[in-house]
Amino acid sequence: MRRHFMKKQSFIIVFLLLPLVLNVSCLGQQTETPMEKTEKESLYSTIQGFVGNWWNGSDLYPDPCGWTPIQGVDCDVVDGLWYVTGLSIGPIHDNYPSCTEDSEFRSHLFEFKHLKTLTFYNCFVSANNHGKSISSLNWGKLGGTLESLEFRENPGLTGRIPQGFGEIMKLQSLVLLENGLSGALPNNLGNLVSLRRLVLAGNRFTGGIPASLGNLTKLLIFDSSRNYLTGVLPNTIGGMNSILKLDLSNNFLSGKLPNEIGNLKTLTLLDLWNNKFSGGLTQSLQEVTSLEEMVLSDNPIGGNLMGFKWENLQNLVTLDLSKTGLTGEIPESIGELKRLRFLGLNDNNLIGNLSPKLADLPSLSTVRLNGNNFSGELKFSKWFYEKMGRRFGAWSNPNLCYAMELLSSSNVPVGVKPCREKLSYLNIDSGTKLDTNESVGQTSGSTAVRLKAKASVLCCTFDGSWWEFGFQKMVVVLLLTGFIL
């Protein structure tokens, strides 16, 4: 009876578990998604073209999107089949094979039907045989799917940007960073109206900035720094009305900044360092209230800071106008930039007294005022000098000095002399003070000895004039001692 009961119980358990087992079996069959044959062949051939013919993908990775995945390859299922959606070539991962010196762009690269991202990192490293150029054919075949195209740190990649790049209409990110590319920027880059990031930095591009780039109304980042670009900044730059970061530093761009730059209402970074811009500060910059970093240093801009509504730029954190040929005084309105951390006005022709309001800026951590013609006494507190240390630069202002009471402090401004101080002496006979323009003397018979003292004395300077104060003081003391004796 008990045996019969156990058999019946076992039958019930098997009956209950059977659907679950069948379901798991079916699920396992469903996960074995096949990859389209031509897609797989394109993948093997494309990678082999860059790493060398020794690489046998079909043996090493028989299921590249399944149980034998290839690092640097992303896949997705479309209509029940695996397709390549992302491909990274180069030693992005530790165990990824390096590219061969004979790397080539095979036609299979342009056969991927759903490729969204394509990256080449440190693949073309040798410039032997005049380097390797980017294939100029077939890029338009990826125009319906490719959203991101990047070439990073490929010094052996030379030649021009292919015209075909301007046909990848869905492209949102084009990064050509630190390669060996040269030539002019193609005008048809302005056709990429979906572009959000355009990085062309660290190459050898020449010529001007195409006016067509003003069509890129969705662009957030434009970085073409560290090239050899020339000409003026086109007025159409104002069409980039979504841009956050504009970096054109370290080129040979010239002329006056266009008024249309004031249309960039979302701009947070403007870096034009080390170009040849001139014509004074463009007034429309004061309308870009979103600016956090304005770097215009090393440009012969000229003009002055007055008449510019600095108080509008309340988001400004970095203001670098060093080596720009500025004249005149520093306006009081710069003292209203409460978020300012870095102020660079060094190596200009600025004059006048420095406002103590600068010390009241709560976030200020670095001030560079050296190499100008500022004058008068610095009115900053001892606490300010202790806070700033060497990050406060005011040297090479020959008519600038600091208060004498700071002489005992170890935190005096570097390279700045102490101010001149009025001196007075006691009349030896009456015990009353004489002005330094009066004479100090004692009559002996018919002979009167008089001593004329200077109205002021210079001390403690960095040009070796400490001895002047010490010597003059010693003479006065010796003479007075002689009178008393």
Side-chain angles (χ1 to χ4, degrees):
M1 182 73 178
R2 183 175 180 179
R3 183 180 297 175
H4 175 73
F5 175 76
M6 293 292 290
K7 287 182 178 180
K8 185 176 181 181
Q9 190 177 36
S10 299
F11 174 78
I12 293 173
I13 292 173
V14 171
F15 179 77
L16 292 174
L17 290 177
L18 183 61
L20 180 60
V21 172
L22 292 174
N23 186 49
V24 170
S25 177
C26 293
L27 185 61
Q29 291 179 359
Q30 290 175 358
T31 58
E32 294 178 3
T33 306
M35 187 175 187
E36 189 185 56
K37 182 180 179 181
T38 56
E39 187 84 356
K40 185 184 292 187
E41 290 175 350
S42 294
L43 178 60
Y44 293 151
S45 177
T46 296
I47 297 177
Q48 192 178 63
F50 295 111
V51 303
N53 291 327
W54 64 267
W55 190 84
N56 192 335
S58 57
D59 291 339
L60 296 171
Y61 305 97
D63 188 12
C65 291
W67 60 276
T68 58
I70 304 175
Q71 285 193 333
V73 176
D74 297 322
C75 301
D76 205 352
V77 176
V78 179
D79 297 330
L81 296 173
W82 281 118
Y83 287 93
V84 176
T85 56
L87 181 58
S88 297
I89 304 294
I92 297 175
H93 305 283
D94 292 338
N95 58 347
Y96 194 91
S98 299
C99 296
T100 178
E101 290 189 4
D102 298 325
S103 296
E104 60 177 331
F105 292 85
R106 294 185 178 179
S107 60
H108 293 94
L109 172 63
F110 307 102
E111 300 300 326
F112 294 115
K113 299 179 178 64
H114 298 280
L115 189 64
K116 292 183 178 180
T117 64
L118 179 59
T119 300
F120 296 88
Y121 169 73
N122 201 28
C123 181
F124 307 94
V125 295
S126 175
N128 293 339
N129 300 321
H130 306 291
K132 181 71 66 175
S133 61
I134 302 175
S135 174
S136 60
L137 303 175
N138 300 318
W139 288 101
K141 296 179 68 174
L142 301 175
T145 62
L146 195 63
E147 297 175 356
S148 175
L149 176 59
E150 299 189 3
F151 289 83
R152 294 177 178 265
E153 299 182 29
N154 297 280
L157 191 65
T158 60
R160 296 173 175 265
I161 298 177
Q163 289 286 332
F165 280 9
E167 301 173 7
I168 312 175
M169 301 308 297
K170 284 197 172 182
L171 206 58
Q172 297 181 23
S173 176
L174 176 58
V175 176
L176 307 177
L177 178 64
E178 295 179 1
N179 304 290
L181 299 172
S182 59
L185 304 181
N187 285 322
N188 66 354
L189 289 181
N191 296 340
L192 306 178
V193 293
S194 298
L195 212 57
R196 285 169 169 77
R197 179 170 60 166
L198 178 58
V199 178
L200 308 173
N203 289 280
R204 300 187 181 92
F205 295 126
T206 56
I209 295 175
S212 61
L213 296 187
N215 298 332
L216 307 181
T217 58
K218 296 181 180 180
L219 196 65
L220 303 177
I221 298 172
F222 180 30
D223 182 356
S224 191
S225 60
R226 293 177 288 132
N227 282 292
Y228 298 89
L229 299 175
T230 57
V232 300
L233 198 59
N235 296 339
T236 55
I237 199 78
M240 299 180 180
N241 49 27
S242 299
I243 198 164
L244 300 174
K245 297 183 178 182
L246 177 60
D247 187 351
L248 302 174
S249 61
N250 209 8
N251 281 285
F252 296 94
L253 298 168
S254 59
K256 184 177 175 63
L257 296 181
N259 288 325
E260 288 77 5
I261 205 167
N263 297 336
L264 309 182
K265 304 299 185 183
T266 59
L267 190 65
T268 60
L269 167 68
L270 176 61
D271 191 348
L272 304 178
W273 166 74
N274 197 26
N275 277 281
K276 297 181 180 299
F277 290 113
S278 58
L281 287 174
T282 298
Q283 289 292 308
S284 62
L285 276 173
Q286 65 193 12
E287 301 169 13
V288 189
T289 57
S290 56
L291 265 178
E292 297 178 8
E293 298 180 67
M294 185 194 296
V295 182
L296 305 179
S297 52
D298 288 273
N299 282 282
I301 292 176
N304 60 66
L305 301 173
M306 309 301 288
F308 194 94
K309 297 180 180 178
W310 294 103
E311 65 273 16
N312 289 359
L313 306 181
Q314 287 299 313
N315 290 307
L316 209 58
V317 174
T318 298
L319 176 59
D320 191 353
L321 299 174
S322 57
K323 300 181 181 178
T324 53
L326 292 173
T327 59
E329 300 184 0
I330 298 178
E332 292 280 339
S333 55
I334 285 185
E336 300 179 26
L337 303 177
K338 302 303 181 184
R339 296 188 60 194
L340 195 65
R341 294 181 186 175
F342 179 93
L343 176 60
L345 296 173
N346 54 286
D347 298 298
N348 284 294
N349 297 304
L350 297 170
I351 60 173
N353 298 328
L354 294 175
S355 171
K357 285 185 177 181
L358 290 177
D360 297 333
L361 293 175
S363 303
L364 196 63
S365 61
T366 302
V367 182
R368 296 285 183 244
L369 304 173
N370 48 287
N372 282 285
N373 293 308
F374 294 119
S375 58
E377 180 178 330
L378 291 172
K379 301 293 186 180
F380 304 124
S381 66
K382 178 181 177 182
W383 172 86
F384 176 76
Y385 295 126
E386 290 175 349
K387 167 192 170 185
M388 302 295 289
R390 297 187 69 89
R391 289 179 284 108
F392 175 74
W395 57 86
S396 298
N397 285 282
N399 298 313
L400 197 63
C401 62
Y402 64 85
M404 287 287 291
E405 54 263 28
L406 294 175
L407 272 177
S408 60
S409 172
S410 60
N411 292 296
V412 297
V414 176
V416 180
K417 64 192 177 188
C419 296
R420 297 175 181 270
E421 188 176 70
K422 289 282 185 180
L423 295 180
S424 61
Y425 304 101
L426 289 175
N427 185 310
I428 303 303
D429 290 333
S430 64
T432 58
K433 291 185 178 180
L434 294 174
D435 184 80
T436 52
N437 290 322
E438 300 180 54
S439 59
V440 179
Q442 182 182 31
T443 304
S444 175
S446 61
T447 304
V449 181
R450 298 180 180 273
L451 173 67
K452 296 291 286 182
K454 286 189 175 181
S456 58
V457 180
L458 179 66
C459 69
C460 324
T461 66
F462 285 81
D463 57 5
S465 59
W466 170 264
W467 69 270
E468 180 184 351
F469 171 74
F471 177 77
Q472 292 178 4
K473 185 176 181 181
M474 182 178 67
V475 170
V476 172
V477 171
L478 288 175
L479 289 172
L480 289 176
T481 303
F483 297 152
I484 294 172
L485 294 176

